[in-house]
Amino acid sequence: MTQLVLNIENPAILPSLKKVLSALDGVSIAKPVRKAKRKTELEMAIEEVRNGEVTYWESVDALIDHINHIDK
């Protein structure tokens, strides 16, 4: 499917343009897709804490031992 994006400066012609385009066989009007705002790393980290998705370590040494164990 080929898409064509039109920039309309005069919104008053939009209803007429939609009627003309809809009358053409095989032409449909797609609704614009709005991109969701992407979360920052900080926002994702705060969300993880709120959801209880955290791991606690007794010490830094315990964390390092765990990391070293995973790599083997």
Side-chain angles (χ1 to χ4, degrees):
M1 175 187 335
T2 303
Q3 291 188 329
L4 172 67
V5 177
L6 302 174
N7 295 316
I8 312 297
E9 290 185 25
N10 182 358
I13 67 167
L14 195 56
S16 301
L17 184 59
K18 284 184 177 182
K19 283 183 186 178
V20 170
L21 293 174
S22 296
L24 297 173
D25 188 35
V27 176
S28 62
I29 299 173
K31 296 188 183 217
V33 177
R34 305 263 187 230
K35 290 186 178 180
K37 180 186 168 196
R38 187 172 175 182
K39 293 181 183 178
T40 65
E41 295 289 330
L42 176 61
E43 290 170 328
M44 290 189 291
I46 291 172
E47 188 174 292
E48 288 176 359
V49 170
R50 287 184 179 150
N51 292 335
E53 300 169 6
V54 294
T55 303
Y56 295 95
W57 301 98
E58 295 176 16
S59 66
V60 174
D61 292 331
L63 172 60
I64 292 172
D65 288 342
H66 176 74
I67 293 170
N68 288 334
H69 181 69
I70 291 174
D71 290 341
K72 293 180 181 179

